[in-house]
Amino acid sequence: MSHLKTLKTDNQHSNQTWLFGYLFTLLSCLLLSACTDNPSDVYLQYQQRLANTLEQPLSQAPELNNIVLTPIHYEQEALTTQQLSLLQLAQLSHCKLNTLIAERNSQLGKLATPASQLIYQIQFIQLAPACLEKLEPSSKSYLAIKGELNNKKQQLVVQFNQLLYNDPELKRTWQLTSYTLDTNLAGLTETEAALNQLATLKQQIKQQQYAQIDTQALYPLLSQLHQYNFNQALISAVRQQTQLNNSTSDYLANVDLTMLCNPLKNKRQAQIVSNIFKKYYLAQLQPYQAQLSGALERLMPLYQALWLNSTSMQPQIAALLSPSQPSNLLIAFKDSAKSHVFWWQNFYKTCEISPI
């Protein structure tokens, strides 16, 4: 009996320990989630508190949609055994181009990614001259390789643009995501470095500096972009915050300040509205938006260098990057914040309430 009693006591103690641990974990999760609210959710709370206090329903904001990209197809047949006979391929055994062509014509080569396709084109251009030096200029092998070399040089910019719009990592830059950047903007420096490398590669291609291109650097920089997913998260956040700023400003524009700030009333409602602004926008949203703006200012020149001159088929991206357009991501974002703050400046002036 004493043994059973002890066992029962131990079980009760174990259950109590487990329950305490569960409640502690649950409380910790709740506290953590409260401190790490998604900024978009914070903004929605901000809007709803304003609507409840002002007793005016919010209008339905237009849905933010993904940018529709036009697929870029670039089909260029690689040198195959149909173009070069087995005898002609044997003549290439003395140069590295033979191995490159053989790998390209393998099953793996036929399933090549946009990155591996670009690497192949560049490596062909880099290896072909040394191979041509060892061939008779009148031979079929020489003429085939020479023609292919000229063709690849002419099409290399197009091939790079295909990478921008067909590679999964670069393509998703312009698609919405629910992933939220943390307040430390982790990945900004690494993403900036990777985009700089990519912009350098594009410049080397345009200036035909083929010998200077390090094809082995392409995979690591794409992996770095994938690791942080910073571009997609930044552009999504900027688009979302811009839309929220504009929709809130449009809503507030319909508020009658003469009624809200009526000196014959005790301004209690106006004071509550002021507190909502300070709690949500000034304390949380404005600092976050300042961080987004700073990151976008650093990366915008790289976005423009990479995508702006390759958007003849992508007008939506051109509109987001063109420096002279009001739809420019950075310009539109800053304008939305200025317009929103301007309404509040007018509110404080009209209501004669201190914003501090």
Side-chain angles (χ1 to χ4, degrees), residues 162-222:
Q162 179 178 342
L163 173 76
L164 290 178
Y165 293 107
N166 291 355
D167 177 82
E169 187 52 49
L170 295 170
K171 180 179 178 180
R172 69 175 181 169
T173 297
W174 307 103
Q175 306 306 306
L176 296 172
T177 178
S178 58
Y179 171 71
T180 304
L181 296 175
D182 61 30
T183 54
N184 295 324
L185 298 183
L188 172 57
T189 301
E190 293 81 0
T191 298
E192 186 177 29
L195 291 179
N196 263 312
Q197 286 183 273
L198 206 55
T200 298
L201 172 59
K202 180 178 181 179
Q203 194 65 18
Q204 289 171 331
I205 290 174
K206 291 177 65 177
Q207 296 178 356
Q208 299 185 5
Q209 298 172 335
Y210 307 121
Q212 299 179 22
I213 297 176
D214 179 10
T215 56
Q216 300 306 312
L218 184 56
Y219 286 128
L221 73 86
L222 290 176

Side-chain angles (χ1 to χ4, degrees), residues 7 13 25 59 118 151-152 155 163 202 221 269 273:
L7 181 61
H13 178 72
T25 302
S59 58
L118 178 63
N151 189 35
K152 290 187 185 304
Q155 296 297 322
L163 173 76
K202 180 178 181 179
L221 73 86
Q269 187 182 33
V273 170

Side-chain angles (χ1 to χ4, degrees), residues 123-154:
Q123 289 180 338
F124 188 101
I125 293 171
Q126 291 174 332
L127 297 175
C131 194
L132 290 174
E133 290 179 359
K134 300 179 181 180
L135 294 173
E136 288 293 330
S138 59
S139 67
K140 291 184 178 180
S141 298
Y142 183 97
L143 295 175
I145 294 173
K146 183 67 175 179
E148 190 71 6
L149 175 60
N150 292 334
N151 189 35
K152 290 187 185 304
K153 286 181 177 180
Q154 293 174 4

Side-chain angles (χ1 to χ4, degrees), residues 1-9:
M1 288 293 293
S2 59
H3 174 73
L4 293 177
K5 183 177 181 180
T6 302
L7 181 61
K8 182 177 180 181
T9 303

Side-chain angles (χ1 to χ4, degrees), residues 238 242 293 296 300 304 319-338:
V238 168
T242 299
S293 181
L296 188 56
M300 177 59 81
Q304 291 170 333
L320 295 178
L321 297 179
S322 297
S324 60
Q325 297 295 324
S327 57
N328 174 283
L329 274 171
L330 187 57
I331 294 174
F333 186 35
K334 287 185 173 182
D335 286 348
S336 72
K338 288 178 182 177

